[in-house]
Amino acid sequence: RVGLTGVEGKLLKEATSINQSLHFLERVIVALHSKSRGEQAHVPYRDSMMTGVLRDSLGGNCKTTMIACVAAEEANLPETIST
């Protein structure tokens, strides 16, 4: 996907960091879902600073809202589906 955007340098580094944080967030959400179904699962909150900060919101007694940016145009369909 980076090749499609043509991003390089500082912006590439920033985008890589954001994607890595989102990957760790996904792992936490998947582990929490597994635990909610009664499976034994380790929730990897400590894998990133973001998931550590969001620990109470994700796994505690807080109500959490997740927002996704989606686009209806056919050209953006693969990105929307992966979101």
Side-chain angles (χ1 to χ4, degrees):
R1 294 183 187 162
V2 173
L4 295 175
T5 62
V7 174
E8 51 188 41
K10 187 177 178 182
L11 286 176
L12 176 59
K13 204 173 196 181
E14 185 177 313
T16 302
S17 179
I18 290 169
N19 285 337
Q20 187 176 26
S21 293
L22 291 173
H23 169 72
F24 290 131
L25 178 61
E26 177 189 14
R27 289 179 54 197
V28 167
I29 291 170
V30 168
L32 287 170
H33 178 69
S34 295
K35 280 185 90 170
S36 74
R37 294 187 318 195
E39 299 174 16
Q40 290 285 349
H42 167 71
V43 183
Y45 290 114
R46 294 184 180 179
D47 285 356
S48 81
M49 187 185 331
M50 181 177 73
T51 55
V53 169
L54 293 174
R55 182 180 193 149
D56 290 336
S57 296
L58 294 170
N61 293 324
C62 298
K63 291 186 179 183
T64 304
T65 301
M66 295 192 71
I67 299 171
C69 183
V70 297
E73 293 84 22
E74 188 173 346
N76 297 322
L77 189 59
E79 284 291 323
T80 298
I81 290 172
S82 71
T83 299

